[in-house]
Amino acid sequence: MAKVIVVTSGKGGVGKTTTSANFATGLALNGHRTAVLDFDVGLRNLDLIMGCERRVVYDFVNVINREATLKQALIKDKQCPNLFVLPASQTRDKDALHVEGVEAVIEELKKDFEYIVCDSPAGIEKGAMMALYFADEALIVTNPEISSVRDSDRILGILAAKSRRAEMGIEPVKEHLLITRYSPKRAESGEMLTVQDIKEILNIPLIGVIPESEAILQASNSGIPAIHKGESDVAQAYSDIVRRFLGEELPLRFVHRQKGGLFKRLFGGA
Amino acid sequence: MSTIRPSSIESSAFDIKGSSFTLLIFCLRTTQLPELEKQLYDHLSKTPDYFNFDPIVIDLSNINQTDVKLDFKSLINILRRHRLTPVGICNGSEIQAQIANKYGLGVFIGLSGKIKPKDTSTNSQPLNSDKTIELPSHLEKKKKETLSQPTKIITRPVRTGQQIYAQGCDLVVLASVNAGAEIISDGNIHVYAPLRGRALAGVKGDTTARIFCQCMEAELVSIAGCYRVLEENLPQNLQGEAVQISLNGEKLIIEPLLSRTTDNKRTANWQK
């Protein structure tokens, strides 16, 4: 049975789209047929980060309005044959999304894909509601700062009350906490919230921590998700998250400051 | 007044849910309504506000023989005049059920056990029984107002923007109440996890209500409308500790839950 995963946060600029791109790529690299959908209608970004913006002909809204078929709108990723992108429309706004239309698209995707990753826009308005409504699982992207944590808390409340699973009274959406832009050094010195602080407030299982890194910006600008650069800490952190999502148990990395000598740096401090 | 429309996600305009309520039963022992009205008047004229249009179910087990005729319309009017709201009947005959339906009364089925009179003498002389309704004393009246619903228990975290109201009962929360969340109760509030949001107990004016929590980090606490914004941290012995909050006159008392008798100095008092 296909799974729908929403990547959401409430707050903007915390790394939802980056996470969607890397997570979907990671699933595809692990051999799973994956589609990633951009719900940020009017401010589309996912296609840029995935490096397919020049191949966009039809978009999500065209499919909803039956101006194009899903097959025409889905863009096959250059690197992974298992990965497809459904871009958002740049010229429309969020009102173009509606429950029946989104449901039809997701139901059709479910026939052909194992995982459907929904990249949510910021906020708690229509676009975000549509992105989370059909979710089976949710990645809650949170930065180690208080306003981001507060917004994530709000989104968790909405997931528990307004998702389809909540409305139908079936098993609730499975929540995963994903902390991005984490700097162990700054957390230790009290400039940032620590992983422990965030876990205590949000009270949901942690799926992984992405360290703050310049590699992310480079990857975004070049249109190749960072997970392809296997040697970087970001790539490793995202691969860990995907493997944990698929059921592996891995020790948490990149949450402590790298100290000590060459030996430790070489073998990575857990 | 504006109208409320279902949002696009909740396309259905209503939900039907199962629920259960405690209802008063009005055990009717006569079909002679003038006599009923007289007795009702005698009993209720001293405490005219005893009933506040409380919903009641009319038990017809004493008068469900087929040859007995009952004027439903007048009965309903009499009950309404005495601030009772008949919502249904039980233990009536089939014909009585049909007539009751016609007058907008529901038929409660599956109510086992007839409401039997307390002794046989009243049973044999229904008209002379001196009480149609058991009139409670003042003590019982108070009990009726404060004890109503079972305690509301919340097991999942209460998150920013969420509001939980325990109407007519106590509220117990077993998971954290996060900053920006609001928990409200007509009675007491217990939180067996960090309380970081707002907690308002006794909101209908119960000054004896209390708030108990295992880890006190609240933004605001209130009892019976007397509130305190906790802008800054509490003293060390209270912040993040197990505390209880009660109302003493106009003062909100926040004190450690366990060491109340051993160290009174540590108790912090606040005036509204």
Side-chain angles (χ1 to χ4, degrees):
Chain A
M1 182 67 190
K3 253 188 200 156
V4 181
I5 303 129
V6 62
V7 179
T8 187
S9 70
K11 196 174 185 304
V14 296
K16 283 181 297 297
T17 302
T18 305
T19 297
S20 299
N22 283 289
F23 184 72
T25 305
L27 287 171
L29 289 173
N30 276 275
H32 298 285
R33 216 171 140 73
T34 305
V36 54
L37 279 58
D38 191 352
F39 278 77
D40 205 348
V41 176
L43 292 168
R44 71 171 217 229
N45 283 153
L46 182 67
D47 49 315
L48 289 172
I49 290 181
M50 301 285 293
C52 62
E53 78 276 11
R54 287 174 178 276
R55 289 189 286 149
V56 175
V57 182
Y58 295 108
D59 58 48
F60 199 171
V61 173
N62 291 137
V63 180
I64 286 178
N65 294 343
R66 298 176 192 280
E67 293 152 2
T69 65
L70 198 49
K71 216 173 175 182
Q72 286 174 306
L74 281 172
I75 301 171
K76 192 174 178 177
D77 189 70
K78 268 188 253 175
Q79 278 90 20
C80 314
N82 285 330
L83 181 60
F84 289 80
V85 181
L86 183 58
S89 172
Q90 182 71 328
T91 52
R92 306 292 288 271
D93 61 35
K94 311 281 193 281
D95 291 332
L97 298 172
H98 50 85
V99 171
E100 297 77 18
V102 175
E103 182 173 23
V105 172
I106 286 181
E107 286 307 316
E108 201 179 335
L109 286 170
K110 275 184 174 177
K111 290 177 201 156
D112 203 20
F113 290 91
E114 287 172 81
Y115 293 103
I116 298 154
V117 179
C118 301
D119 179 25
S120 171
I124 52 172
E125 279 76 41
K126 193 155 187 192
M129 301 299 283
M130 288 295 129
L132 68 79
Y133 187 64
F134 295 98
D136 300 309
E137 304 202 20
L139 299 182
I140 308 297
V141 183
T142 306
N143 284 174
E145 49 116 359
I146 198 76
S147 60
S148 171
V149 175
R150 179 72 72 94
D151 290 357
S152 294
D153 196 41
R154 181 89 171 98
I155 276 288
L156 283 165
I158 291 171
L159 269 171
K162 300 258 177 83
S163 62
R164 186 166 67 164
R165 281 179 171 268
E167 283 182 357
M168 288 169 69
I170 56 177
E171 201 187 327
V173 177
K174 194 171 172 191
E175 301 148 340
H176 306 275
L177 173 61
L178 197 160
I179 299 172
T180 53
R181 312 182 84 168
Y182 192 71
S183 161
K185 194 177 151 200
R186 293 176 69 191
E188 267 173 42
S189 67
E191 288 173 61
M192 274 184 179
L193 294 176
T194 65
V195 171
Q196 202 50 41
D197 292 336
I198 301 170
K199 275 176 75 177
E200 242 167 56
I201 296 173
L202 295 180
N203 213 348
I204 58 170
L206 178 69
I207 196 167
V209 177
I210 308 297
E212 191 162 41
S213 164
E214 287 170 14
I216 288 280
L217 190 65
Q218 286 164 10
S220 297
N221 287 340
S222 63
I224 299 167
I227 198 166
H228 286 297
K229 299 205 171 73
E231 74 287 357
S232 71
D233 50 359
V234 176
Q236 290 173 34
Y238 271 119
S239 316
D240 281 5
I241 285 170
V242 172
R243 285 165 65 190
R244 279 191 203 105
F245 182 84
L246 294 171
E248 276 185 63
E249 279 193 28
L250 300 167
L252 201 58
R253 296 198 277 175
F254 315 111
V255 291
H256 295 294
R257 191 143 59 111
Q258 304 273 319
K259 339 173 221 202
L262 181 68
F263 186 82
K264 194 155 190 188
R265 251 181 270 165
L266 269 179
F267 293 93
Chain B
M1 222 176 84
S2 63
T3 54
I4 296 170
R5 260 182 270 146
S7 75
S8 55
I9 285 181
E10 303 143 7
S11 54
S12 157
F14 61 87
D15 293 315
I16 291 181
K17 292 175 181 171
S19 185
S20 61
F21 296 93
T22 307
L23 285 172
L24 294 174
I25 285 189
F26 186 90
C27 187
L28 192 62
R29 300 213 185 98
T30 178
T31 53
Q32 299 189 9
L33 298 181
E35 178 62 23
L36 171 75
E37 170 128 50
K38 185 180 165 289
Q39 289 193 16
L40 265 176
Y41 179 80
D42 289 347
H43 284 304
L44 292 173
S45 56
K46 291 162 225 155
T47 52
D49 58 348
Y50 177 65
F51 291 115
N52 186 23
F53 299 101
D54 296 359
I56 51 152
V57 176
I58 306 165
D59 185 342
L60 300 174
S61 48
N62 288 304
I63 51 161
N64 59 5
Q65 288 77 36
T66 44
D67 56 330
V68 181
K69 270 199 172 168
L70 179 62
D71 181 356
F72 269 97
K73 196 176 171 187
S74 306
L75 174 64
I76 291 168
N77 284 336
I78 290 169
L79 292 172
R80 290 215 175 117
R81 272 202 291 281
H82 290 92
R83 296 165 70 92
L84 285 164
T85 309
V87 294
I89 62 156
C90 64
N91 300 327
S93 68
E94 226 166 88
I95 297 165
Q96 284 171 334
Q98 280 172 16
I99 303 170
N101 277 338
K102 215 183 278 177
Y103 286 101
L105 295 179
V107 177
F108 287 80
I109 41 173
L111 264 187
S112 63
K114 290 180 181 178
I115 311 300
K116 280 190 179 150
K118 280 192 177 150
D119 54 69
T120 43
S121 67
T122 55
N123 195 21
S124 56
Q125 299 166 293
L127 281 179
N128 297 333
S129 71
D130 57 12
K131 275 178 188 171
T132 318
I133 301 169
E134 302 283 336
L135 260 197
S137 69
H138 270 285
L139 238 172
E140 280 168 321
K141 182 183 174 184
K142 199 174 175 192
K143 209 171 162 190
K144 180 196 152 214
E145 279 177 356
T146 49
L147 262 186
S148 39
Q149 314 278 337
T151 301
K152 187 166 191 165
I153 299 176
I154 305 294
T155 54
R156 300 198 63 182
V158 188
R159 304 200 176 271
T160 293
Q162 287 182 321
Q163 194 182 53
I164 301 223
Y165 177 32
Q167 190 172 13
C169 62
D170 284 3
L171 177 61
V172 175
V173 185
L174 299 170
S176 62
V177 177
N178 284 352
E182 210 166 72
I183 51 173
I184 305 165
S185 161
D186 288 346
N188 303 306
I189 291 177
H190 306 251
V191 184
Y192 298 105
L195 169 59
R196 305 190 178 105
R198 298 161 167 239
L200 298 91
V203 290
K204 290 232 175 103
D206 181 3
T207 53
T208 63
R210 291 184 183 211
I211 299 169
F212 306 89
C213 66
Q214 212 165 43
C215 178
M216 172 67 180
E217 295 172 31
E219 297 170 324
L220 178 147
V221 289
S222 161
I223 292 171
C226 185
Y227 70 93
R228 166 88 192 181
V229 181
L230 303 165
E231 206 181 338
E232 277 160 33
N233 280 357
L234 291 162
Q236 215 184 346
N237 66 313
L238 299 171
Q239 185 72 25
E241 300 293 324
V243 304
Q244 67 162 321
I245 301 152
S246 53
L247 193 63
N248 183 4
E250 291 281 278
K251 270 186 186 171
L252 269 184
I253 314 279
I254 305 179
E255 59 194 333
L257 196 51
L258 297 173
S259 50
R260 188 178 179 187
T261 49
T262 54
D263 192 353
N264 276 333
K265 277 181 203 161
R266 301 203 305 176
T267 301
N269 294 358
W270 274 296
Q271 196 107 35
K272 185 182 174 183

